[in-house]
Amino acid sequence: MTLSEARFNELVDATQQKLVNLFDQSRLDLTSEQTAGVLTVKFGNGDTWVFDRMTPLRQMWLADRSGPFHFHYSEERDEWVCEQTNERLGEVLQRIVVERGGEKHDFDKV
C-alpha cells in the first residue's frame, strides 16, 4: 500500500525532528538547519549530510560523500529502510559515523 502524500510528509517531518533532537543531545561536532523540508547537518570535519524528501517517490534521501542513500518507509517494519542495502536509517547513520572515525552513537530511535 502506498503512503498518502500527507502521511509521507508527516513521517519525514517527524524523522527529521527526531534527528535534530538526537544531534542536539549528542557530543558530535555538528550544526543542523531545517529549511523548506530539508535537514542539513554540517560536521566539524567538513562532512555534510542532507536529508531531503522525494515526495513523488515517497522516499527520503540522504546525500553523503559516500553516495546517495534512498529510504522508503516500511509500514510493516515501522521504519525507514535503505533501498540499496536494506538497512534501517539508524544503521546507515551509525555505520557512516563509525567509518569516519567517530564514536559510536545511538541512532536506533530514528
Side-chain angles (χ1 to χ4, degrees):
M1 183 165 153
T2 303
L3 292 173
S4 70
E5 184 172 335
R7 173 80 172 130
F8 169 76
N9 284 315
E10 287 173 10
L11 289 166
V12 173
D13 290 341
T15 300
Q16 288 184 353
Q17 189 57 54
K18 285 179 190 175
L19 287 167
V20 167
N21 293 343
L22 282 171
F23 293 142
D24 286 348
Q25 296 169 6
S26 78
R27 291 181 286 161
L28 297 171
D29 181 17
L30 59 81
T31 59
S32 65
E33 178 182 328
Q34 286 180 291
T35 306
V38 176
L39 172 61
T40 303
V41 181
K42 295 181 180 181
F43 292 87
N45 66 359
D47 285 352
T48 301
W49 285 347
V50 179
F51 295 89
D52 200 357
R53 65 189 76 211
M54 295 297 134
T55 304
L57 300 174
R58 302 298 192 264
Q59 292 183 339
M60 182 171 58
W61 288 9
L62 165 61
D64 176 67
R65 70 177 162 128
S66 62
F69 296 90
H70 303 164
F71 296 88
H72 70 276
Y73 190 79
S74 170
E75 294 271 17
E76 298 81 33
R77 292 172 57 175
D78 190 30
E79 61 193 5
W80 292 99
V81 179
C82 182
E83 295 282 324
Q84 298 94 317
T85 66
N86 205 37
E87 293 172 285
R88 292 178 298 105
L89 173 60
E91 291 174 319
V92 171
L93 299 178
Q94 179 61 52
R95 181 170 46 81
I96 293 171
V97 168
V98 170
E99 285 174 358
R100 306 253 168 88
E103 65 185 52
K104 188 169 183 171
H105 187 75
D106 183 10
F107 288 104
D108 286 339
K109 297 176 185 173
V110 185

